[in-house]
C-alpha cells in the first residue's frame, strides 16, 4: 500500500514534467518564428523562463522522491529518469538560446531593412518634394504668364471699348448732322415745291396776259382793217 501511494505522486510529477517539456518546446518554436519586435520576444522569453522554473521544480521534486525510495532499484531507476529529464531540460535551454539568437538576428535584419526602406522613402520623399517644388515653380510661372496675357487682353479690351465709345460718339454726331441735314432737305423740298407751284401760276398768268394781249391786238386790227364787220 505504501509503495502504491508513493507511486501516485511520482506519476503526477512525471506528467507535470512532460507537460512543461512540451510547453517549453512549443514556446521555443514560437520564439524561433517571432517576427518581432523585441518587446514581443521579451514577453515570450518571460513565459519560457516561468515554464523552466516549474520544470526545474518538478525535476527537483522527482529527484527528492527518488532519494526517498526504499528499494535501491526503484531509487536508481528514478534517478536515471531525473538525469534524462535534466539532459532534456539542458537540451531545451540550448534550443532556447539558439532560437533567441536566430530571432534577434532576424529582428536586427528586419530593422535594418526598415531603416534602409526608411532612407529610401526619405530619399523618395525628398525627390518628390523637389519635383513638387519644380512643378509648383512651373505652375507659378504659367500662372504669371496667364496673368500677363490676361492683363494684355484687358488692356486691349479697354482700348477696344474706348474705340467703340469714340465710334459711337462719331456715329451719334453724324446722326445728329443727318437729322439736321434732313430738316434742311425737307425745308428745301417744301421751298422747291412752293416755287414750282408759284412758277406754274406765273406761267399761267403770263399765258393769260399774252392771250389777252393777242386778243386785244386782233380786236384792234379787226376794227382798223375791217370796220364794216
Amino acid at each position: 500500500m505504501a509503495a502504491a501511494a508513493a507511486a501516485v505522486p511520482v506519476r503526477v510529477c512525471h506528467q507535470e514534467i512532460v507537460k512543461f517539456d512540451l510547453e517549453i518546446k512549443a514556446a521555443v518554436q514560437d520564439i524561433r518564428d517571432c517576427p518581432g519586435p523585441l518587446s514581443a520576444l521579451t514577453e515570450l522569453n518571460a513565459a519560457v523562463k516561468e515554464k523552466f522554473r516549474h520544470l526545474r521544480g518538478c525535476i527537483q521534486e522527482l529527484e527528492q522522491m527518488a532519494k526517498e525510495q526504499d528499494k535501491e532499484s526503484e531509487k536508481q531507476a528514478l534517478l536515471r529518469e531525473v538525469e534524462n529529464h535534466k539532459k532534456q531540460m539542458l537540451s531545451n535551454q540550448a534550443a532556447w538560446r539558439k532560437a533567441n539568437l536566430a530571432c534577434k538576428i532576424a529582428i536586427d535584419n528586419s530593422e535594418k531593412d526598415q531603416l534602409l526602406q526608411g532612407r529610401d522613402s526619405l530619399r523618395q520623399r525628398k525627390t518628390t518634394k523637389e519635383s513638387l517644388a519644380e512643378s509648383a515653380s512651373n505652375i507659378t510661372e504659367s500662372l504669371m504668364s496667364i496673368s500677363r496675357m490676361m492683363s494684355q487682353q484687358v488692356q486691349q479690351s479697354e482700348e477696344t471699348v474706348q474705340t467703340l465709345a469714340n465710334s459711337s460718339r462719331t456715329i451719334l454726331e453724324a446722326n445728329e448732322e443727318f437729322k439736321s441735314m434732313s430738316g434742311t432737305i425737307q425745308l428745301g423740298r417744301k421751298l422747291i415745291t412752293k416755287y414750282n407751284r408759284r412758277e406754274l401760276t406765273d406761267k399761267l398768268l403770263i399765258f393769260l396776259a399774252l392771250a389777252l394781249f393777242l386778243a386785244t391786238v386782233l380786236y384792234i386790227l379787226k376794227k382798223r382793217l375791217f370796220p364794216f364787220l
Side-chain angles (χ1 to χ4, degrees), residues 8-224:
V8 173
V10 171
R11 187 163 55 251
V12 172
C13 193
H14 271 299
Q15 291 174 353
E16 290 293 317
I17 291 172
V18 171
K19 183 187 77 169
F20 285 119
D21 180 70
L22 293 175
E23 290 178 355
I24 288 171
K25 284 182 170 61
V28 169
Q29 185 62 40
D30 290 339
I31 291 173
R32 192 177 289 111
D33 297 335
C34 178
L38 287 175
S39 57
L41 178 61
T42 301
E43 291 179 2
L44 290 173
N45 281 324
V48 172
K49 286 179 182 179
E50 186 66 18
K51 294 180 188 302
F52 268 118
R53 187 179 67 80
H54 287 296
L55 177 61
R56 191 177 296 107
C58 290
I59 292 174
Q60 290 175 353
E61 186 177 356
L62 182 63
E63 185 177 13
Q64 184 63 32
M65 290 179 184
K67 291 178 181 179
E68 292 176 356
Q69 294 297 317
D70 295 332
K71 292 183 179 180
E72 187 65 23
S73 59
E74 292 179 357
K75 177 180 179 180
Q76 293 301 323
L78 288 176
L79 288 175
R80 284 193 296 272
E81 289 182 8
V82 168
E83 288 300 320
N84 290 333
H85 289 312
K86 286 182 179 180
K87 290 178 181 179
Q88 186 61 43
M89 185 176 66
L90 291 175
S91 176
N92 288 335
Q93 287 177 339
W96 180 32
R97 286 193 294 270
K98 290 180 181 179
N100 266 282
L101 181 61
C103 183
K104 287 181 180 179
I105 291 173
I107 292 174
D108 288 341
N109 291 334
S110 177
E111 289 179 350
K112 288 179 181 178
D113 292 338
Q114 290 178 0
L115 182 60
L116 291 176
Q117 290 177 0
R119 289 178 180 176
D120 293 338
S121 178
L122 288 173
R123 191 178 298 111
Q124 185 176 2
R125 284 201 294 270
K126 182 179 180 181
T127 304
T128 303
K129 287 181 179 179
E130 291 176 353
S131 177
L132 289 173
E134 184 177 358
S135 299
S137 177
N138 293 333
I139 291 171
T140 302
E141 186 176 354
S142 299
L143 290 173
M144 291 178 66
S145 176
I146 292 171
S147 178
R148 287 193 295 270
M149 291 176 62
M150 291 179 68
S151 178
Q152 293 175 358
Q153 290 293 329
V154 169
Q155 185 176 359
Q156 291 177 1
S157 298
E158 289 177 352
E159 292 175 356
T160 303
V161 170
Q162 186 65 33
T163 303
L164 289 173
N166 294 333
S167 299
S168 178
R169 283 195 297 270
T170 303
I171 291 171
L172 289 174
E173 291 174 357
N175 189 27
E176 292 296 328
E177 291 180 0
F178 286 149
K179 287 181 179 179
S180 177
M181 290 177 65
S182 177
T184 304
I185 290 170
Q186 288 180 359
L187 179 61
R189 184 180 299 169
K190 289 179 180 179
L191 291 173
I192 290 170
T193 302
K194 186 176 180 180
Y195 174 76
N196 288 334
R197 289 177 181 175
R198 180 169 293 180
E199 183 181 9
L200 180 61
T201 304
D202 291 343
K203 286 180 179 181
L204 182 60
L205 291 173
I206 291 170
F207 177 76
L208 291 174
L210 183 60
L212 181 60
F213 174 75
L214 289 175
T216 302
V217 171
L218 288 175
Y219 179 75
I220 294 170
L221 288 175
K222 178 183 176 184
K223 289 294 184 179
R224 294 285 181 91

